[in-house]
Amino acid sequence: MLTIYHVPGTRGVRAIWLCEELALPYTVEAVDFSPEFRASDSWRAMNPVGKVPVLRDSEHSSTDDFLMFESGAMVQYILDRYGNG
Ligand SMILES: N[C@@H](CCC(=O)N[C@@H](CS)C(=O)NCC(=O)O)C(=O)O
Protein backbone atom coordinates (compact mmCIF):
# COMPACT_ATOMS: atom_id res chain seq x y z
CA MET A 1 0.00 0.00 0.00
CA LEU A 2 1.22 3.48 -0.87
CA THR A 3 0.72 6.30 1.61
CA ILE A 4 1.20 9.88 0.52
CA TYR A 5 1.84 12.37 3.29
CA HIS A 6 0.35 15.47 1.79
CA VAL A 7 -0.82 19.02 2.31
CA PRO A 8 -3.62 20.18 -0.03
CA GLY A 9 -2.39 22.49 -2.76
CA THR A 10 1.20 21.21 -2.67
CA ARG A 11 3.35 18.88 -4.76
CA GLY A 12 2.01 15.69 -3.22
CA VAL A 13 -0.75 15.96 -5.78
CA ARG A 14 1.74 14.66 -8.35
CA ALA A 15 1.86 11.26 -6.65
CA ILE A 16 -1.88 11.31 -5.97
CA TRP A 17 -2.62 12.11 -9.60
CA LEU A 18 -0.38 9.27 -10.78
CA CYS A 19 -1.98 6.75 -8.43
CA GLU A 20 -5.36 7.80 -9.79
CA GLU A 21 -4.17 7.46 -13.38
CA LEU A 22 -2.78 3.98 -12.69
CA ALA A 23 -5.77 2.97 -10.54
CA LEU A 24 -3.41 2.07 -7.70
CA PRO A 25 -4.67 1.80 -4.14
CA TYR A 26 -3.25 4.53 -1.92
CA THR A 27 -4.05 6.53 1.14
CA VAL A 28 -3.42 10.17 1.91
CA GLU A 29 -2.21 11.24 5.33
CA ALA A 30 -2.65 14.89 6.17
CA VAL A 31 0.51 16.60 7.36
CA ASP A 32 0.73 19.55 9.71
CA PHE A 33 2.36 22.17 7.47
CA SER A 34 3.52 24.35 10.34
CA PRO A 35 7.27 25.09 10.44
CA GLU A 36 7.35 23.71 13.98
CA PHE A 37 6.01 20.31 12.95
CA ARG A 38 8.21 20.13 9.87
CA ALA A 39 11.23 20.86 12.04
CA SER A 40 10.33 18.07 14.47
CA ASP A 41 12.52 15.00 14.83
CA SER A 42 9.61 12.75 13.85
CA TRP A 43 9.03 14.56 10.56
CA ARG A 44 12.75 15.00 9.83
CA ALA A 45 13.10 11.24 10.19
CA MET A 46 10.68 10.96 7.27
CA ASN A 47 11.89 13.95 5.28
CA PRO A 48 15.33 15.22 6.27
CA VAL A 49 14.80 18.54 4.48
CA GLY A 50 11.56 19.19 6.35
CA LYS A 51 9.27 19.63 3.36
CA VAL A 52 6.26 17.80 1.96
CA PRO A 53 5.37 15.39 0.43
CA VAL A 54 6.62 12.01 1.65
CA LEU A 55 5.77 8.65 0.14
CA ARG A 56 5.62 5.40 2.12
CA ASP A 57 5.51 2.04 0.37
CA SER A 58 4.63 -0.70 2.83
CA GLU A 59 4.97 -3.38 0.13
CA HIS A 60 8.51 -2.52 -0.92
CA SER A 61 9.96 -5.43 1.03
CA SER A 62 8.76 -8.07 3.45
CA THR A 63 10.67 -6.49 6.31
CA ASP A 64 10.77 -2.71 6.03
CA ASP A 65 8.59 0.10 4.79
CA PHE A 66 10.20 2.28 2.15
CA LEU A 67 10.11 6.06 2.61
CA MET A 68 11.10 8.71 0.13
CA PHE A 69 10.88 12.43 -0.48
CA GLU A 70 11.05 14.53 -3.69
CA SER A 71 7.82 14.41 -5.65
CA GLY A 72 9.46 13.94 -9.06
CA ALA A 73 11.36 10.93 -7.75
CA MET A 74 8.09 9.56 -6.33
CA VAL A 75 6.52 9.72 -9.78
CA GLN A 76 9.47 7.85 -11.25
CA TYR A 77 9.42 5.28 -8.44
CA ILE A 78 5.70 4.61 -8.78
CA LEU A 79 6.02 4.26 -12.56
CA ASP A 80 9.05 1.97 -12.29
CA ARG A 81 7.54 -0.27 -9.64
CA TYR A 82 3.82 -0.22 -10.39
CA GLY A 83 3.45 1.31 -13.85
CA ASN A 84 3.32 -2.06 -15.62
CA GLY A 85 4.98 -0.53 -18.65
N1 LIG B 1 11.61 19.34 -4.83
C1 LIG B 1 10.69 19.06 -3.75
C2 LIG B 1 10.12 20.37 -3.24
C3 LIG B 1 9.32 20.16 -1.97
C4 LIG B 1 8.70 21.47 -1.53
O1 LIG B 1 9.27 22.56 -1.71
N2 LIG B 1 7.53 21.34 -0.93
C5 LIG B 1 6.86 22.52 -0.46
C6 LIG B 1 5.35 22.36 -0.61
S1 LIG B 1 4.94 22.10 -2.31
C7 LIG B 1 7.21 22.74 1.00
O2 LIG B 1 7.25 21.80 1.76
N3 LIG B 1 7.46 23.99 1.36
C8 LIG B 1 7.78 24.34 2.69
C9 LIG B 1 9.13 25.00 2.80
O3 LIG B 1 9.81 25.16 1.77
O4 LIG B 1 9.49 25.39 3.90
C10 LIG B 1 9.60 18.12 -4.22
O5 LIG B 1 9.24 18.17 -5.42
O6 LIG B 1 9.09 17.30 -3.42
Side-chain angles (χ1 to χ4, degrees):
M1 172 64 79
L2 296 171
T3 304
I4 301 155
Y5 296 83
H6 175 59
V7 172
T10 66
R11 290 168 170 84
V13 76
R14 293 171 175 168
I16 293 170
W17 157 78
L18 184 57
C19 289
E20 289 287 336
E21 287 291 329
L22 296 174
L24 294 173
Y26 68 96
T27 58
V28 174
E29 287 281 333
V31 176
D32 176 353
F33 200 45
S34 69
E36 293 77 18
F37 175 76
R38 289 186 292 109
S40 65
D41 289 345
S42 60
W43 185 249
R44 292 291 169 131
M46 293 174 67
N47 186 335
V49 298
K51 297 183 184 238
V52 294
V54 165
L55 176 70
R56 179 189 299 276
D57 184 357
S58 56
E59 291 172 11
H60 182 81
S61 81
S62 57
T63 51
D64 299 310
D65 284 6
F66 175 78
L67 284 169
M68 69 184 302
F69 60 101
E70 284 297 333
S71 60
M74 290 173 197
V75 168
Q76 195 61 59
Y77 172 82
I78 294 167
L79 284 171
D80 287 348
R81 193 164 176 92
Y82 300 109
N84 195 24

